[in-house]
Amino acid sequence: MNAKYKKLNKDDAALLLVDHQSGLISLVQDFSPGEFKNSVIALADIGKFFRLPTILTTSFDEGPNGPIVPEILERFPDAPFIHRPGQINAWDNEDFVKAVKATGRRQLIIAGVVTDVCVAFPTLSALEEGYDVFVVTDASGTFNLTTQQSAWNRMSQAGAQLVNWFAVACELQRDWRNDMEGLATLLSNHLPNYRNLMTSYSRLQEAKNK
């Protein structure tokens, strides 16, 4: 039996960015550094563009895990920022769970480092509490492809939906007419090929209007 298609809804979704820290990111080997950073920042830009309630959290950021990636903090200077003193699973931190519940949202878009721990553990915990969880695969990273695949399988089998940041943007948008220019600019900033597409389109429109 096929599961019901649950669409992302910008009015019922919250964004959770978990442990995108300078030390932990050095462990990511399943994506190239440039590719991974672009995906993480693209997801942050999506959260800002759609005005999603966003929660930041770090684990032991005064130790080797390091501070949060500055580009994320720049985009969400006023977001709840939970500095976990030791809990590996963010869902084990009372302040983090309170912040999630305070959003009033039932759809959780989550990404983090590393995929098999910092993403998988809170994902499984949130699913157990009845949330719909959307794991952003290309904005989450880990040690290697084997670890990546086992983590994706574990979360998917538990009921999480696996998506990439581009799919998140398009599903939240629903209709190009909502703000075509705004979304196209966001996509162009993170996808060079999409920028080429939009440049070609703009030139065709200019030619038509002459």
Side-chain angles (χ1 to χ4, degrees):
M1 182 177 178
N2 293 329
K4 183 179 179 181
Y5 174 29
K6 296 180 179 179
K7 297 179 182 179
L8 273 169
N9 180 350
K10 63 183 178 62
D11 297 318
D12 195 31
L15 177 61
L16 313 181
L17 298 177
V18 182
D19 301 352
H20 289 103
Q21 298 169 244
S22 60
L24 290 175
I25 282 180
S26 67
L27 303 175
V28 174
Q29 299 295 315
D30 50 339
F31 298 101
S32 69
E35 181 184 20
F36 185 63
K37 182 176 182 179
N38 180 64
S39 295
V40 171
I41 303 307
L43 180 61
D45 284 341
I46 289 167
K48 187 174 180 181
F49 178 75
F50 289 103
R51 300 179 182 176
L52 302 180
T54 299
I55 299 168
L56 314 179
T57 186
T58 53
S59 172
F60 198 40
D61 53 16
E62 294 182 358
N65 291 349
I68 193 168
V69 173
E71 290 90 344
I72 292 177
L73 201 55
E74 289 168 5
R75 283 161 172 78
F76 304 106
D78 301 318
F81 187 177
I82 313 302
H83 301 264
R84 306 195 314 281
Q87 297 96 341
I88 294 174
N89 182 352
W91 209 265
D92 288 338
N93 182 282
E94 184 178 350
D95 291 333
F96 180 78
V97 175
K98 283 182 178 178
V100 172
K101 292 182 176 179
T103 67
R105 306 295 177 94
R106 297 302 300 175
Q107 295 184 337
L108 305 180
I109 302 169
I110 184 170
V113 181
V114 290
T115 309
D116 42 311
V117 175
C118 305
V119 178
F121 293 175
T123 291
L124 297 171
S125 299
L127 287 167
E128 194 173 34
E129 294 202 20
Y131 287 90
D132 292 324
V133 184
F134 298 77
V135 176
V136 188
T137 55
D138 50 358
S140 303
T142 189
F143 307 108
N144 53 55
L145 292 175
T146 300
T147 306
Q148 175 201 85
Q149 293 297 314
S150 63
W152 288 0
N153 288 338
R154 185 183 188 190
M155 291 184 285
S156 178
Q157 289 173 9
Q161 293 196 48
L162 306 185
V163 293
N164 64 350
W165 70 259
F166 185 84
V168 170
C170 293
E171 194 157 84
L172 290 171
Q173 177 78 356
R174 297 286 182 94
D175 190 319
W176 279 110
R177 292 167 295 183
N178 290 333
D179 183 356
M180 177 179 174
E181 185 176 343
L183 183 62
T185 298
L186 187 157
L187 298 178
S188 296
N189 287 341
H190 295 283
L191 292 173
N193 289 341
Y194 200 90
R195 186 181 304 117
N196 294 339
L197 179 153
M198 291 306 300
T199 299
S200 176
Y201 172 77
S202 297
R203 288 177 179 171
L204 283 172
Q205 293 301 109
E206 290 171 2
K208 285 180 182 180
N209 294 330
K210 285 183 178 179

